[in-house]
């Protein structure tokens, strides 16, 4: 009995040792796998994260610090002034408030027109047209041209081209001083921005429209639905996620409009078309009041972020309801 018991103990110990060995090997393999995954993650994400930190995060938080100083952006003397910059902006800087109102007006107009035209173009080029691929290319091409270059091209069109057409045809529309009057200059910026952005928005809507099940549309036609009813009750609810994306993109880009504003009017005449981004740029890099410029940029960031979050949240809820 004793020898049999000893043998069982030896076998039990051997089994436990074998199990422990397997467990150690498993832990070692898992550890090596985790190290390998961490190495691959660092290899692929590390450079991007480093670049993002250097180019975006560090300047962002540095800018927040400078928003509470009176630094002129050139000298090394930085004086902490607390909330003085923000008090100045809201109490004495009338131009900032005027630029904010103008930018809000421009954003509302640009969002509506860009999405409406982009969606209309998407509906057009998703029809069975022989030239639909050529039309897609033509409509998208303005988005490939840089904003500054595009602005200077349209500046020539508004100043020289329209004036020449007006002399020949005597049409009042072409005889207007498009960039010399506050009202027409505003609409000039809108025209250029919408012309550039509608093609990009069109591509997103095309992708959404191509995913609409044709069976539903055919069934609706059989049931007697007309084109408007199909668009309203079938197409629009199904492309709602694309609408959310396009509204977000156009909201952010419209609020941040700078290059078209700079190249077309440079804020003129008499700062009547100076948008927020151009106002911030002028304050920081032309007037050399970097602290006030950063304070304006911080306010601008908070406003755009809040509006974007509200817009996306509301649009997502509408998607669920529909």
């Amino acid at each position: 009995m004793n020898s049999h018991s000893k043998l069982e103990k030896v076998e039990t110990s051997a089994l436990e040792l074998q199990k422990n060995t397997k467990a150690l090997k498993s832990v070692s393999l898992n550890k090596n796998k985790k190290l390998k995954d961490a190495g691959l993650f660092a290899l692929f994400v590390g450079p991007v994260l480093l670049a993002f930190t250097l180019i975006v995060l560090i300047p962002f938080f540095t800018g927040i610090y400078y928003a509470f100083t009176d630094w002129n952006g050139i000298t090394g003397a930085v004086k902490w002034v607390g909330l003085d910059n923000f008090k100045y902006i809201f109490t004495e800087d009338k131009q900032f408030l005027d630029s904010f109102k103008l930018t809000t007006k421009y954003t509302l107009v640009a969002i509506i027109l860009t999405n409406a035209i982009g969606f209309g173009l998407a509906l057009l080029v998703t029809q069975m047209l022989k030239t639909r691929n050529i039309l897609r290319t033509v409509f998208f091409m303005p988005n490939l041209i840089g904003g500054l270059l595009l602005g200077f091209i349209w500046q020539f069109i508004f100043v020289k081209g329209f004036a020449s057409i007006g002399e020949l045809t005597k049409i009042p529309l072409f005889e207007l001083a498009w960039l010399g009057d506050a009202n027409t200059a505003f609409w000039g910026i809108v025209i250029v921005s919408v012309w550039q952005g509608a093609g990009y928005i069109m591509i997103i809507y095309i992708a959404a429209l191509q995913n609409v099940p044709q069976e539903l549309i055919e069934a609706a036609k059989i049931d007697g639905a007309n084109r408007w009813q199909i668009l309203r009750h079938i197409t629009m609810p199904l492309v709602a996620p694309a609408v959310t994306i396009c509204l977000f993109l156009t909201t952010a880009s419209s609020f941040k409009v700078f290059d078209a504003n700079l190249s077309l009017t440079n804020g003129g005449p008499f700062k009547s078309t100076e948008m927020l981004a151009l106002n911030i740029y002028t304050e920081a890099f032309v007037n050399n009041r970097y602290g006030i410029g950063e304070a304006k940029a911080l306010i601008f960031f908070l406003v755009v972020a809040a509006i974007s979050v509200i817009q996306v949240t509301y649009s997502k809820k509408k998607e669920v309801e529909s």
Side-chain angles (χ1 to χ4, degrees):
M1 287 293 292
N2 291 335
S3 60
H4 183 68
S5 299
K6 288 179 180 179
L7 183 60
E8 286 182 348
K9 288 181 180 180
V10 170
E11 290 177 351
T12 303
S13 300
L15 288 171
E16 289 179 355
L17 180 62
Q18 189 177 3
K19 288 180 180 178
N20 291 335
T21 303
K22 287 182 179 180
L24 289 172
K25 287 182 179 179
S26 178
V27 170
S28 178
L29 288 173
N30 288 334
K31 188 176 181 181
N32 290 334
K33 187 175 182 302
K34 288 181 179 178
L35 289 173
K36 184 179 179 181
D37 291 342
L40 289 172
F41 179 82
L43 179 63
F44 287 103
V45 180
V48 178
L49 183 61
L50 178 63
F52 180 76
T53 302
L54 293 175
I55 297 172
V56 178
L57 291 182
I58 292 177
F60 176 74
F61 289 109
T62 305
I64 293 176
Y65 166 73
Y66 284 128
F68 298 92
T69 68
D70 68 345
W71 189 41
N72 60 10
I74 300 174
T75 63
V78 179
K79 181 183 176 183
W80 181 269
V81 294
L83 298 175
D84 288 353
N85 290 336
F86 298 92
K87 291 178 182 177
Y88 169 79
I89 291 169
F90 288 112
T91 57
E92 300 181 37
D93 195 344
K94 184 178 179 295
Q95 184 57 44
F96 177 77
L97 299 178
D98 291 341
S99 296
F100 187 88
K101 292 176 185 176
L102 181 67
T103 306
T104 303
K105 175 185 173 183
Y106 165 82
T107 300
L108 292 173
V109 174
I111 288 172
I112 294 170
L113 291 180
T114 304
N115 281 276
I117 294 174
F119 187 73
L121 294 176
L123 286 174
L124 174 65
V125 298
T126 50
Q127 305 300 315
M128 297 304 293
L129 301 173
K130 292 182 179 180
T131 59
R132 61 181 181 273
N133 291 328
I134 297 174
L135 290 174
R136 292 180 187 184
T137 305
V138 171
F139 294 147
F140 183 74
M141 280 182 64
N143 190 70
L144 302 176
I145 305 174
L148 285 173
L149 179 60
L150 195 68
F152 287 123
I153 292 172
W154 272 92
Q155 185 186 67
F156 176 80
I157 293 172
F158 282 129
V159 176
K160 301 293 184 180
F162 279 17
S164 299
I165 295 173
E167 289 179 4
L168 294 173
T169 62
K170 302 300 180 183
I171 298 175
L173 179 67
F174 296 107
E175 293 180 333
L176 296 173
W178 273 90
L179 302 182
D181 180 76
N183 293 324
T184 52
F186 169 81
W187 287 106
I189 298 172
V190 171
I191 290 170
V192 174
S193 299
V194 172
W195 185 72
Q196 183 184 26
Y200 181 75
I201 298 302
M202 176 196 70
I203 297 298
I204 300 174
Y205 282 129
I206 287 173
L209 289 170
Q210 288 178 338
N211 287 325
V212 175
Q214 292 300 312
E215 297 82 4
L216 292 176
I217 296 176
E218 294 297 332
K221 288 180 179 178
I222 293 171
D223 290 337
N226 56 39
R227 290 187 177 182
W228 168 248
Q229 290 172 329
I230 292 172
L231 178 65
R232 181 181 177 185
H233 298 291
I234 296 176
T235 305
M236 289 303 296
L238 291 176
V239 301
V243 174
T244 301
I245 295 170
C246 291
L247 286 177
F248 171 77
L249 292 174
T250 50
T251 299
S253 62
S254 298
F255 263 111
K256 296 184 296 182
V257 62
F258 173 76
D259 42 14
N261 190 194
L262 177 66
S263 55
L264 275 175
T265 66
N266 197 22
F270 306 108
K271 294 187 177 295
S272 59
T273 60
E274 187 177 75
M275 305 287 181
L276 268 177
L278 183 58
N279 179 266
I280 293 169
Y281 167 82
T282 304
E283 193 71 71
F285 300 107
V286 178
N287 299 338
N288 290 330
R289 297 197 292 183
Y290 197 87
I292 295 176
E294 284 291 352
K296 290 182 177 182
L298 181 58
I299 296 169
F300 186 33
F301 165 77
L302 293 175
V303 170
V304 174
I307 292 174
S308 298
V309 169
I310 293 170
Q311 176 263 310
V312 171
T313 304
Y314 177 76
S315 299
K316 285 292 183 183
K317 286 183 179 178
K318 296 295 287 185
E319 286 179 28
V320 174
E321 290 175 4
S322 60

